[in-house]
Amino acid sequence: MCKHHPRTFHLRLTREQRLKNITIRQALASDASSLYEAERETSRTPGLLVSRPHEFNRDAFERKINALKDHGLYLVAQCNGQAVGHAYLEPLGLEALAHVMSLTIVVHPGYVEQGVGHALMTQLLEWAGSQSTLLKVELRVREVNHRAIRLYQKFGFVEEGRLQNRIRLPDGALIADLTMAWFAPDKG
């Protein structure tokens, strides 16, 4: 059962027990406010997201959800009717890059270590694999976000590069952004 827990609490459920309570669905414009609030809260933990809480725009969430209905994929993970994570695959917008999409994924605060990221990644990559022209999915992740890096590696993502001193944390420390990619099997 998905329960909101502080980040430091670790559930002792099996992956199957955690995943059976998570449902994945397409994002709706009506989700914009809750996703906005969740990302603002997530960004309060240095090293998870690049944006700071004051840099988010509620309307931008609704625009992104609407834009990806026809050209991409925007998913919401729910547990007991509450959004506990979201993720999307977004086209890069250039003809020469039409075979590549960018991935963003956020597990909402208090729901880490419950299979939310795994469930979202499973659905995203199933969809990506079914797209005949999609050959590559790219993402960026902070070098200090070890939990996310392990998840991406489990799904076949490989590190393609390291952008040294790219992110300045609120305390002034500089950290690297890693670029990672997943390649569609048997397409390239």
Side-chain angles (χ1 to χ4, degrees), residues 119-166:
L120 283 165
M121 289 294 288
T122 298
Q123 292 299 308
L124 286 171
L125 294 180
E126 267 183 30
W127 181 86
S130 74
Q131 304 303 301
S132 61
T133 60
L134 182 57
L135 303 178
K136 181 179 183 183
V137 173
E138 299 176 337
L139 61 82
R140 288 187 183 149
V141 59
R142 273 36 71 211
E143 68 179 337
V144 297
N145 194 345
H146 304 292
R147 182 182 294 126
I149 293 167
R150 282 191 305 274
L151 176 69
Y152 303 144
Q153 289 170 336
K154 282 182 188 176
F155 279 91
F157 280 79
V158 295
E159 185 176 325
E160 288 195 305
R162 175 179 289 270
L163 305 170
Q164 287 299 126
N165 296 332
R166 184 164 189 268

mmCIF file of all heavy atoms in Angstrom, residues 119-166:
data_model
loop_
_atom_site.group_PDB
_atom_site.id
_atom_site.type_symbol
_atom_site.label_atom_id
_atom_site.label_comp_id
_atom_site.label_asym_id
_atom_site.label_seq_id
_atom_site.Cartn_x
_atom_site.Cartn_y
_atom_site.Cartn_z
ATOM 1 N N ALA A 119 7.505 2.025 -11.895
ATOM 2 C CA ALA A 119 6.244 1.897 -12.633
ATOM 3 C C ALA A 119 6.174 2.913 -13.774
ATOM 4 O O ALA A 119 5.772 2.578 -14.897
ATOM 5 C CB ALA A 119 5.059 2.071 -11.681
ATOM 6 N N LEU A 120 6.571 4.146 -13.506
ATOM 7 C CA LEU A 120 6.562 5.171 -14.551
ATOM 8 C C LEU A 120 7.543 4.823 -15.670
ATOM 9 O O LEU A 120 7.203 4.930 -16.856
ATOM 10 C CB LEU A 120 6.895 6.546 -13.959
ATOM 11 C CG LEU A 120 5.773 7.230 -13.189
ATOM 12 C CD1 LEU A 120 6.319 8.380 -12.350
ATOM 13 C CD2 LEU A 120 4.679 7.716 -14.137
ATOM 14 N N MET A 121 8.759 4.411 -15.308
ATOM 15 C CA MET A 121 9.762 4.077 -16.327
ATOM 16 C C MET A 121 9.303 2.902 -17.185
ATOM 17 O O MET A 121 9.510 2.891 -18.402
ATOM 18 C CB MET A 121 11.107 3.745 -15.677
ATOM 19 C CG MET A 121 11.816 4.947 -15.085
ATOM 20 S SD MET A 121 12.336 6.155 -16.305
ATOM 21 C CE MET A 121 13.670 5.281 -17.084
ATOM 22 N N THR A 122 8.668 1.915 -16.565
ATOM 23 C CA THR A 122 8.165 0.764 -17.313
ATOM 24 C C THR A 122 7.198 1.214 -18.392
ATOM 25 O O THR A 122 7.319 0.825 -19.564
ATOM 26 C CB THR A 122 7.489 -0.245 -16.364
ATOM 27 O OG1 THR A 122 8.467 -0.721 -15.431
ATOM 28 C CG2 THR A 122 6.895 -1.416 -17.128
ATOM 29 N N GLN A 123 6.240 2.048 -18.026
ATOM 30 C CA GLN A 123 5.238 2.514 -18.986
ATOM 31 C C GLN A 123 5.849 3.418 -20.054
ATOM 32 O O GLN A 123 5.517 3.300 -21.237
ATOM 33 C CB GLN A 123 4.105 3.242 -18.261
ATOM 34 C CG GLN A 123 3.260 2.351 -17.408
ATOM 35 C CD GLN A 123 2.572 1.262 -18.230
ATOM 36 O OE1 GLN A 123 1.923 1.534 -19.221
ATOM 37 N NE2 GLN A 123 2.741 0.027 -17.809
ATOM 38 N N LEU A 124 6.727 4.320 -19.647
ATOM 39 C CA LEU A 124 7.361 5.224 -20.611
ATOM 40 C C LEU A 124 8.140 4.451 -21.666
ATOM 41 O O LEU A 124 8.032 4.726 -22.866
ATOM 42 C CB LEU A 124 8.317 6.191 -19.900
ATOM 43 C CG LEU A 124 7.709 7.314 -19.086
ATOM 44 C CD1 LEU A 124 8.795 8.012 -18.286
ATOM 45 C CD2 LEU A 124 6.978 8.315 -19.968
ATOM 46 N N LEU A 125 8.943 3.483 -21.216
ATOM 47 C CA LEU A 125 9.792 2.769 -22.169
ATOM 48 C C LEU A 125 9.019 1.749 -22.985
ATOM 49 O O LEU A 125 9.394 1.454 -24.121
ATOM 50 C CB LEU A 125 10.994 2.155 -21.459
ATOM 51 C CG LEU A 125 11.956 3.207 -20.876
ATOM 52 C CD1 LEU A 125 13.123 2.548 -20.183
ATOM 53 C CD2 LEU A 125 12.414 4.198 -21.927
ATOM 54 N N GLU A 126 7.922 1.230 -22.444
ATOM 55 C CA GLU A 126 7.031 0.397 -23.275
ATOM 56 C C GLU A 126 6.481 1.220 -24.426
ATOM 57 O O GLU A 126 6.468 0.789 -25.570
ATOM 58 C CB GLU A 126 5.865 -0.156 -22.440
ATOM 59 C CG GLU A 126 6.119 -1.507 -21.859
ATOM 60 C CD GLU A 126 4.897 -2.039 -21.106
ATOM 61 O OE1 GLU A 126 3.740 -1.696 -21.462
ATOM 62 O OE2 GLU A 126 5.114 -2.790 -20.148
ATOM 63 N N TRP A 127 6.009 2.408 -24.102
ATOM 64 C CA TRP A 127 5.478 3.300 -25.136
ATOM 65 C C TRP A 127 6.581 3.681 -26.126
ATOM 66 O O TRP A 127 6.379 3.621 -27.335
ATOM 67 C CB TRP A 127 4.873 4.549 -24.495
ATOM 68 C CG TRP A 127 4.278 5.497 -25.477
ATOM 69 C CD1 TRP A 127 3.014 5.459 -25.992
ATOM 70 C CD2 TRP A 127 4.910 6.625 -26.085
ATOM 71 N NE1 TRP A 127 2.821 6.499 -26.866
ATOM 72 C CE2 TRP A 127 3.974 7.227 -26.947
ATOM 73 C CE3 TRP A 127 6.182 7.188 -25.974
ATOM 74 C CZ2 TRP A 127 4.266 8.363 -27.699
ATOM 75 C CZ3 TRP A 127 6.473 8.319 -26.726
ATOM 76 C CH2 TRP A 127 5.523 8.889 -27.585
ATOM 77 N N ALA A 128 7.754 4.057 -25.601
ATOM 78 C CA ALA A 128 8.869 4.445 -26.469
ATOM 79 C C ALA A 128 9.227 3.315 -27.427
ATOM 80 O O ALA A 128 9.455 3.543 -28.622
ATOM 81 C CB ALA A 128 10.086 4.840 -25.632
ATOM 82 N N GLY A 129 9.254 2.094 -26.924
ATOM 83 C CA GLY A 129 9.581 0.947 -27.759
ATOM 84 C C GLY A 129 8.556 0.684 -28.842
ATOM 85 O O GLY A 129 8.873 0.080 -29.871
ATOM 86 N N SER A 130 7.329 1.145 -28.640
ATOM 87 C CA SER A 130 6.273 0.924 -29.630
ATOM 88 C C SER A 130 6.237 2.000 -30.714
ATOM 89 O O SER A 130 5.484 1.877 -31.681
ATOM 90 C CB SER A 130 4.906 0.855 -28.939
ATOM 91 O OG SER A 130 4.493 2.147 -28.528
ATOM 92 N N GLN A 131 7.021 3.040 -30.561
ATOM 93 C CA GLN A 131 7.047 4.124 -31.538
ATOM 94 C C GLN A 131 8.081 3.804 -32.611
ATOM 95 O O GLN A 131 9.278 3.763 -32.327
ATOM 96 C CB GLN A 131 7.377 5.462 -30.861
ATOM 97 C CG GLN A 131 6.443 5.825 -29.723
ATOM 98 C CD GLN A 131 5.003 5.883 -30.153
ATOM 99 O OE1 GLN A 131 4.627 6.651 -31.033
ATOM 100 N NE2 GLN A 131 4.171 5.043 -29.539
ATOM 101 N N SER A 132 7.622 3.590 -33.822
ATOM 102 C CA SER A 132 8.512 3.102 -34.884
ATOM 103 C C SER A 132 9.653 4.054 -35.207
ATOM 104 O O SER A 132 10.729 3.607 -35.611
ATOM 105 C CB SER A 132 7.710 2.813 -36.157
ATOM 106 O OG SER A 132 7.095 3.998 -36.624
ATOM 107 N N THR A 133 9.470 5.335 -35.020
ATOM 108 C CA THR A 133 10.528 6.282 -35.378
ATOM 109 C C THR A 133 11.390 6.715 -34.195
ATOM 110 O O THR A 133 12.374 7.424 -34.383
ATOM 111 C CB THR A 133 9.924 7.540 -36.033
ATOM 112 O OG1 THR A 133 9.022 8.147 -35.093
ATOM 113 C CG2 THR A 133 9.182 7.191 -37.316
ATOM 114 N N LEU A 134 11.039 6.298 -32.999
ATOM 115 C CA LEU A 134 11.796 6.702 -31.806
ATOM 116 C C LEU A 134 12.946 5.734 -31.566
ATOM 117 O O LEU A 134 12.731 4.548 -31.327
ATOM 118 C CB LEU A 134 10.878 6.755 -30.583
ATOM 119 C CG LEU A 134 11.519 7.205 -29.267
ATOM 120 C CD1 LEU A 134 12.162 8.578 -29.396
ATOM 121 C CD2 LEU A 134 10.471 7.219 -28.168
ATOM 122 N N LEU A 135 14.169 6.248 -31.647
ATOM 123 C CA LEU A 135 15.357 5.407 -31.487
ATOM 124 C C LEU A 135 16.102 5.656 -30.183
ATOM 125 O O LEU A 135 16.869 4.802 -29.739
ATOM 126 C CB LEU A 135 16.319 5.648 -32.663
ATOM 127 C CG LEU A 135 15.755 5.411 -34.063
ATOM 128 C CD1 LEU A 135 16.811 5.730 -35.109
ATOM 129 C CD2 LEU A 135 15.252 3.991 -34.194
ATOM 130 N N LYS A 136 15.899 6.835 -29.589
ATOM 131 C CA LYS A 136 16.718 7.213 -28.437
ATOM 132 C C LYS A 136 15.909 8.077 -27.476
ATOM 133 O O LYS A 136 15.132 8.925 -27.897
ATOM 134 C CB LYS A 136 17.939 7.995 -28.927
ATOM 135 C CG LYS A 136 18.904 8.430 -27.859
ATOM 136 C CD LYS A 136 20.087 9.190 -28.472
ATOM 137 C CE LYS A 136 21.088 9.569 -27.416
ATOM 138 N NZ LYS A 136 22.196 10.350 -27.980
ATOM 139 N N VAL A 137 16.110 7.828 -26.170
ATOM 140 C CA VAL A 137 15.532 8.657 -25.118
ATOM 141 C C VAL A 137 16.698 9.197 -24.303
ATOM 142 O O VAL A 137 17.562 8.441 -23.857
ATOM 143 C CB VAL A 137 14.565 7.851 -24.222
ATOM 144 C CG1 VAL A 137 14.106 8.685 -23.038
ATOM 145 C CG2 VAL A 137 13.371 7.351 -25.033
ATOM 146 N N GLU A 138 16.723 10.504 -24.125
ATOM 147 C CA GLU A 138 17.801 11.166 -23.389
ATOM 148 C C GLU A 138 17.268 11.759 -22.088
ATOM 149 O O GLU A 138 16.095 12.118 -21.996
ATOM 150 C CB GLU A 138 18.391 12.316 -24.213
ATOM 151 C CG GLU A 138 19.002 11.896 -25.509
ATOM 152 C CD GLU A 138 19.481 13.079 -26.334
ATOM 153 O OE1 GLU A 138 18.985 14.217 -26.155
ATOM 154 O OE2 GLU A 138 20.364 12.851 -27.173
ATOM 155 N N LEU A 139 18.164 11.900 -21.121
ATOM 156 C CA LEU A 139 17.819 12.586 -19.883
ATOM 157 C C LEU A 139 19.076 13.178 -19.282
ATOM 158 O O LEU A 139 20.201 12.820 -19.663
ATOM 159 C CB LEU A 139 17.133 11.642 -18.891
ATOM 160 C CG LEU A 139 17.896 10.408 -18.386
ATOM 161 C CD1 LEU A 139 18.839 10.744 -17.235
ATOM 162 C CD2 LEU A 139 16.916 9.354 -17.934
ATOM 163 N N ARG A 140 18.862 14.067 -18.338
ATOM 164 C CA ARG A 140 19.948 14.605 -17.523
ATOM 165 C C ARG A 140 19.600 14.336 -16.071
ATOM 166 O O ARG A 140 18.444 14.448 -15.673
ATOM 167 C CB ARG A 140 20.126 16.105 -17.731
ATOM 168 C CG ARG A 140 20.710 16.447 -19.067
ATOM 169 C CD ARG A 140 21.025 17.909 -19.148
ATOM 170 N NE ARG A 140 21.531 18.229 -20.471
ATOM 171 C CZ ARG A 140 21.361 19.388 -21.053
ATOM 172 N NH1 ARG A 140 20.712 20.355 -20.432
ATOM 173 N NH2 ARG A 140 21.850 19.604 -22.246
ATOM 174 N N VAL A 141 20.613 13.988 -15.295
ATOM 175 C CA VAL A 141 20.407 13.701 -13.880
ATOM 176 C C VAL A 141 21.610 14.237 -13.108
ATOM 177 O O VAL A 141 22.750 14.169 -13.575
ATOM 178 C CB VAL A 141 20.208 12.170 -13.637
ATOM 179 C CG1 VAL A 141 21.403 11.363 -14.104
ATOM 180 C CG2 VAL A 141 19.873 11.870 -12.183
ATOM 181 N N ARG A 142 21.346 14.792 -11.945
ATOM 182 C CA ARG A 142 22.417 15.310 -11.111
ATOM 183 C C ARG A 142 23.269 14.168 -10.588
ATOM 184 O O ARG A 142 22.760 13.131 -10.187
ATOM 185 C CB ARG A 142 21.843 16.077 -9.909
ATOM 186 C CG ARG A 142 21.512 17.549 -10.050
ATOM 187 C CD ARG A 142 20.967 18.040 -11.346
ATOM 188 N NE ARG A 142 19.605 17.585 -11.553
ATOM 189 C CZ ARG A 142 19.078 17.345 -12.760
ATOM 190 N NH1 ARG A 142 19.752 17.516 -13.856
ATOM 191 N NH2 ARG A 142 17.854 16.918 -12.880
ATOM 192 N N GLU A 143 24.577 14.368 -10.548
ATOM 193 C CA GLU A 143 25.509 13.326 -10.123
ATOM 194 C C GLU A 143 25.257 12.850 -8.697
ATOM 195 O O GLU A 143 25.622 11.727 -8.352
ATOM 196 C CB GLU A 143 26.955 13.804 -10.256
ATOM 197 C CG GLU A 143 27.337 14.905 -9.278
ATOM 198 C CD GLU A 143 28.773 15.354 -9.411
ATOM 199 O OE1 GLU A 143 29.613 14.575 -9.917
ATOM 200 O OE2 GLU A 143 29.066 16.503 -9.007
ATOM 201 N N VAL A 144 24.617 13.659 -7.876
ATOM 202 C CA VAL A 144 24.356 13.293 -6.477
ATOM 203 C C VAL A 144 23.056 12.510 -6.309
ATOM 204 O O VAL A 144 22.762 12.027 -5.213
ATOM 205 C CB VAL A 144 24.337 14.544 -5.560
ATOM 206 C CG1 VAL A 144 25.699 15.221 -5.555
ATOM 207 C CG2 VAL A 144 23.239 15.516 -5.970
ATOM 208 N N ASN A 145 22.281 12.357 -7.381
ATOM 209 C CA ASN A 145 21.001 11.657 -7.299
ATOM 210 C C ASN A 145 21.219 10.169 -7.616
ATOM 211 O O ASN A 145 20.791 9.656 -8.637
ATOM 212 C CB ASN A 145 19.981 12.293 -8.255
ATOM 213 C CG ASN A 145 18.567 11.842 -7.976
ATOM 214 O OD1 ASN A 145 18.339 10.864 -7.263
ATOM 215 N ND2 ASN A 145 17.613 12.534 -8.564
ATOM 216 N N HIS A 146 21.894 9.486 -6.699
ATOM 217 C CA HIS A 146 22.293 8.095 -6.902
ATOM 218 C C HIS A 146 21.102 7.150 -7.083
ATOM 219 O O HIS A 146 21.166 6.207 -7.867
ATOM 220 C CB HIS A 146 23.177 7.618 -5.746
ATOM 221 C CG HIS A 146 24.384 8.481 -5.557
ATOM 222 N ND1 HIS A 146 25.412 8.525 -6.475
ATOM 223 C CD2 HIS A 146 24.714 9.353 -4.576
ATOM 224 C CE1 HIS A 146 26.329 9.379 -6.067
ATOM 225 N NE2 HIS A 146 25.934 9.903 -4.920
ATOM 226 N N ARG A 147 20.015 7.396 -6.370
ATOM 227 C CA ARG A 147 18.816 6.550 -6.483
ATOM 228 C C ARG A 147 18.284 6.591 -7.919
ATOM 229 O O ARG A 147 17.980 5.561 -8.511
ATOM 230 C CB ARG A 147 17.754 7.031 -5.502
ATOM 231 C CG ARG A 147 16.500 6.198 -5.509
ATOM 232 C CD ARG A 147 15.444 6.730 -4.543
ATOM 233 N NE ARG A 147 15.898 6.602 -3.175
ATOM 234 C CZ ARG A 147 15.944 7.603 -2.295
ATOM 235 N NH1 ARG A 147 15.562 8.801 -2.627
ATOM 236 N NH2 ARG A 147 16.365 7.400 -1.078
ATOM 237 N N ALA A 148 18.199 7.796 -8.494
ATOM 238 C CA ALA A 148 17.698 7.927 -9.864
ATOM 239 C C ALA A 148 18.662 7.288 -10.861
ATOM 240 O O ALA A 148 18.238 6.593 -11.787
ATOM 241 C CB ALA A 148 17.477 9.396 -10.205
ATOM 242 N N ILE A 149 19.946 7.493 -10.673
ATOM 243 C CA ILE A 149 20.946 6.919 -11.589
ATOM 244 C C ILE A 149 20.832 5.401 -11.609
ATOM 245 O O ILE A 149 20.845 4.781 -12.679
ATOM 246 C CB ILE A 149 22.363 7.385 -11.207
ATOM 247 C CG1 ILE A 149 22.501 8.898 -11.448
ATOM 248 C CG2 ILE A 149 23.428 6.596 -11.978
ATOM 249 C CD1 ILE A 149 23.739 9.517 -10.820
ATOM 250 N N ARG A 150 20.683 4.785 -10.432
ATOM 251 C CA ARG A 150 20.518 3.320 -10.369
ATOM 252 C C ARG A 150 19.259 2.873 -11.108
ATOM 253 O O ARG A 150 19.272 1.871 -11.821
ATOM 254 C CB ARG A 150 20.489 2.842 -8.916
ATOM 255 C CG ARG A 150 21.849 2.764 -8.265
ATOM 256 C CD ARG A 150 21.809 2.031 -6.920
ATOM 257 N NE ARG A 150 20.846 2.581 -5.981
ATOM 258 C CZ ARG A 150 21.085 3.589 -5.153
ATOM 259 N NH1 ARG A 150 22.263 4.176 -5.141
ATOM 260 N NH2 ARG A 150 20.154 4.014 -4.319
ATOM 261 N N LEU A 151 18.171 3.617 -10.941
ATOM 262 C CA LEU A 151 16.927 3.274 -11.640
ATOM 263 C C LEU A 151 17.140 3.336 -13.151
ATOM 264 O O LEU A 151 16.776 2.409 -13.869
ATOM 265 C CB LEU A 151 15.799 4.230 -11.232
ATOM 266 C CG LEU A 151 14.473 4.020 -11.973
ATOM 267 C CD1 LEU A 151 13.826 2.700 -11.571
ATOM 268 C CD2 LEU A 151 13.529 5.183 -11.704
ATOM 269 N N TYR A 152 17.744 4.392 -13.629
ATOM 270 C CA TYR A 152 17.971 4.531 -15.071
ATOM 271 C C TYR A 152 18.852 3.404 -15.598
ATOM 272 O O TYR A 152 18.586 2.836 -16.657
ATOM 273 C CB TYR A 152 18.588 5.886 -15.396
ATOM 274 C CG TYR A 152 17.773 7.068 -14.910
ATOM 275 C CD1 TYR A 152 18.390 8.215 -14.443
ATOM 276 C CD2 TYR A 152 16.379 7.035 -14.898
ATOM 277 C CE1 TYR A 152 17.660 9.303 -13.996
ATOM 278 C CE2 TYR A 152 15.636 8.118 -14.441
ATOM 279 C CZ TYR A 152 16.276 9.245 -13.996
ATOM 280 O OH TYR A 152 15.557 10.311 -13.549
ATOM 281 N N GLN A 153 19.878 3.066 -14.852
ATOM 282 C CA GLN A 153 20.762 1.969 -15.278
ATOM 283 C C GLN A 153 20.010 0.646 -15.338
ATOM 284 O O GLN A 153 20.230 -0.148 -16.250
ATOM 285 C CB GLN A 153 21.972 1.876 -14.353
ATOM 286 C CG GLN A 153 22.927 3.026 -14.533
ATOM 287 C CD GLN A 153 24.008 3.087 -13.464
ATOM 288 O OE1 GLN A 153 23.853 2.581 -12.346
ATOM 289 N NE2 GLN A 153 25.126 3.735 -13.793
ATOM 290 N N LYS A 154 19.114 0.402 -14.381
ATOM 291 C CA LYS A 154 18.311 -0.828 -14.401
ATOM 292 C C LYS A 154 17.486 -0.935 -15.675
ATOM 293 O O LYS A 154 17.206 -2.033 -16.139
ATOM 294 C CB LYS A 154 17.356 -0.879 -13.200
ATOM 295 C CG LYS A 154 17.990 -1.261 -11.899
ATOM 296 C CD LYS A 154 16.928 -1.319 -10.819
ATOM 297 C CE LYS A 154 17.553 -1.500 -9.453
ATOM 298 N NZ LYS A 154 16.550 -1.468 -8.381
ATOM 299 N N PHE A 155 17.086 0.197 -16.222
ATOM 300 C CA PHE A 155 16.270 0.218 -17.433
ATOM 301 C C PHE A 155 17.105 0.331 -18.706
ATOM 302 O O PHE A 155 16.558 0.524 -19.788
ATOM 303 C CB PHE A 155 15.235 1.338 -17.365
ATOM 304 C CG PHE A 155 14.025 0.950 -16.567
ATOM 305 C CD1 PHE A 155 13.969 1.214 -15.207
ATOM 306 C CD2 PHE A 155 12.956 0.293 -17.162
ATOM 307 C CE1 PHE A 155 12.867 0.842 -14.453
ATOM 308 C CE2 PHE A 155 11.851 -0.083 -16.411
ATOM 309 C CZ PHE A 155 11.802 0.180 -15.057
ATOM 310 N N GLY A 156 18.421 0.187 -18.578
ATOM 311 C CA GLY A 156 19.273 0.155 -19.765
ATOM 312 C C GLY A 156 19.844 1.491 -20.196
ATOM 313 O O GLY A 156 20.468 1.576 -21.258
ATOM 314 N N PHE A 157 19.657 2.529 -19.421
ATOM 315 C CA PHE A 157 20.276 3.812 -19.755
ATOM 316 C C PHE A 157 21.776 3.740 -19.518
ATOM 317 O O PHE A 157 22.227 3.086 -18.572
ATOM 318 C CB PHE A 157 19.691 4.935 -18.899
ATOM 319 C CG PHE A 157 18.370 5.451 -19.381
ATOM 320 C CD1 PHE A 157 17.205 4.743 -19.116
ATOM 321 C CD2 PHE A 157 18.279 6.626 -20.094
ATOM 322 C CE1 PHE A 157 15.980 5.202 -19.553
ATOM 323 C CE2 PHE A 157 17.057 7.096 -20.545
ATOM 324 C CZ PHE A 157 15.900 6.379 -20.272
ATOM 325 N N VAL A 158 22.521 4.393 -20.382
ATOM 326 C CA VAL A 158 23.975 4.454 -20.251
ATOM 327 C C VAL A 158 24.395 5.912 -20.152
ATOM 328 O O VAL A 158 23.753 6.800 -20.728
ATOM 329 C CB VAL A 158 24.696 3.771 -21.437
ATOM 330 C CG1 VAL A 158 24.409 2.279 -21.453
ATOM 331 C CG2 VAL A 158 24.308 4.412 -22.760
ATOM 332 N N GLU A 159 25.465 6.145 -19.421
ATOM 333 C CA GLU A 159 25.986 7.506 -19.309
ATOM 334 C C GLU A 159 26.669 7.881 -20.620
ATOM 335 O O GLU A 159 27.501 7.134 -21.137
ATOM 336 C CB GLU A 159 26.979 7.596 -18.147
ATOM 337 C CG GLU A 159 27.454 9.016 -17.898
ATOM 338 C CD GLU A 159 28.361 9.141 -16.686
ATOM 339 O OE1 GLU A 159 28.149 8.412 -15.684
ATOM 340 O OE2 GLU A 159 29.277 9.975 -16.756
ATOM 341 N N GLU A 160 26.304 9.037 -21.144
ATOM 342 C CA GLU A 160 26.913 9.530 -22.379
ATOM 343 C C GLU A 160 27.876 10.681 -22.123
ATOM 344 O O GLU A 160 28.730 10.959 -22.954
ATOM 345 C CB GLU A 160 25.841 10.003 -23.361
ATOM 346 C CG GLU A 160 25.058 8.876 -23.981
ATOM 347 C CD GLU A 160 24.279 9.352 -25.187
ATOM 348 O OE1 GLU A 160 23.497 10.318 -25.058
ATOM 349 O OE2 GLU A 160 24.457 8.751 -26.257
ATOM 350 N N GLY A 161 27.718 11.348 -21.009
ATOM 351 C CA GLY A 161 28.606 12.471 -20.741
ATOM 352 C C GLY A 161 28.389 13.047 -19.361
ATOM 353 O O GLY A 161 27.461 12.689 -18.647
ATOM 354 N N ARG A 162 29.293 13.927 -19.006
ATOM 355 C CA ARG A 162 29.276 14.582 -17.701
ATOM 356 C C ARG A 162 29.513 16.065 -17.938
ATOM 357 O O ARG A 162 30.515 16.448 -18.524
ATOM 358 C CB ARG A 162 30.375 13.991 -16.825
ATOM 359 C CG ARG A 162 30.573 14.649 -15.487
ATOM 360 C CD ARG A 162 31.680 13.948 -14.706
ATOM 361 N NE ARG A 162 31.238 12.648 -14.255
ATOM 362 C CZ ARG A 162 30.634 12.426 -13.082
ATOM 363 N NH1 ARG A 162 30.428 13.420 -12.261
ATOM 364 N NH2 ARG A 162 30.255 11.220 -12.740
ATOM 365 N N LEU A 163 28.570 16.877 -17.484
ATOM 366 C CA LEU A 163 28.686 18.323 -17.615
ATOM 367 C C LEU A 163 29.161 18.868 -16.267
ATOM 368 O O LEU A 163 28.366 19.094 -15.351
ATOM 369 C CB LEU A 163 27.335 18.919 -18.025
ATOM 370 C CG LEU A 163 26.732 18.319 -19.299
ATOM 371 C CD1 LEU A 163 25.293 18.788 -19.490
ATOM 372 C CD2 LEU A 163 27.575 18.641 -20.503
ATOM 373 N N GLN A 164 30.465 19.028 -16.153
ATOM 374 C CA GLN A 164 31.096 19.427 -14.885
ATOM 375 C C GLN A 164 30.632 20.818 -14.448
ATOM 376 O O GLN A 164 30.479 21.712 -15.271
ATOM 377 C CB GLN A 164 32.622 19.434 -15.031
ATOM 378 C CG GLN A 164 33.245 18.050 -15.103
ATOM 379 C CD GLN A 164 32.996 17.224 -13.866
ATOM 380 O OE1 GLN A 164 32.501 16.111 -13.961
ATOM 381 N NE2 GLN A 164 33.317 17.734 -12.699
ATOM 382 N N ASN A 165 30.439 20.975 -13.138
ATOM 383 C CA ASN A 165 30.105 22.268 -12.532
ATOM 384 C C ASN A 165 28.918 22.947 -13.212
ATOM 385 O O ASN A 165 28.868 24.169 -13.316
ATOM 386 C CB ASN A 165 31.316 23.207 -12.550
ATOM 387 C CG ASN A 165 32.451 22.668 -11.710
ATOM 388 O OD1 ASN A 165 32.235 21.939 -10.749
ATOM 389 N ND2 ASN A 165 33.670 22.999 -12.083
ATOM 390 N N ARG A 166 27.950 22.188 -13.657
ATOM 391 C CA ARG A 166 26.807 22.736 -14.388
ATOM 392 C C ARG A 166 25.744 23.306 -13.454
ATOM 393 O O ARG A 166 25.110 24.297 -13.769
ATOM 394 C CB ARG A 166 26.176 21.665 -15.274
ATOM 395 C CG ARG A 166 25.049 22.216 -16.124
ATOM 396 C CD ARG A 166 24.708 21.265 -17.248
ATOM 397 N NE ARG A 166 23.789 21.892 -18.171
ATOM 398 C CZ ARG A 166 22.461 21.785 -18.081
ATOM 399 N NH1 ARG A 166 21.914 21.068 -17.121
ATOM 400 N NH2 ARG A 166 21.700 22.382 -18.960
#
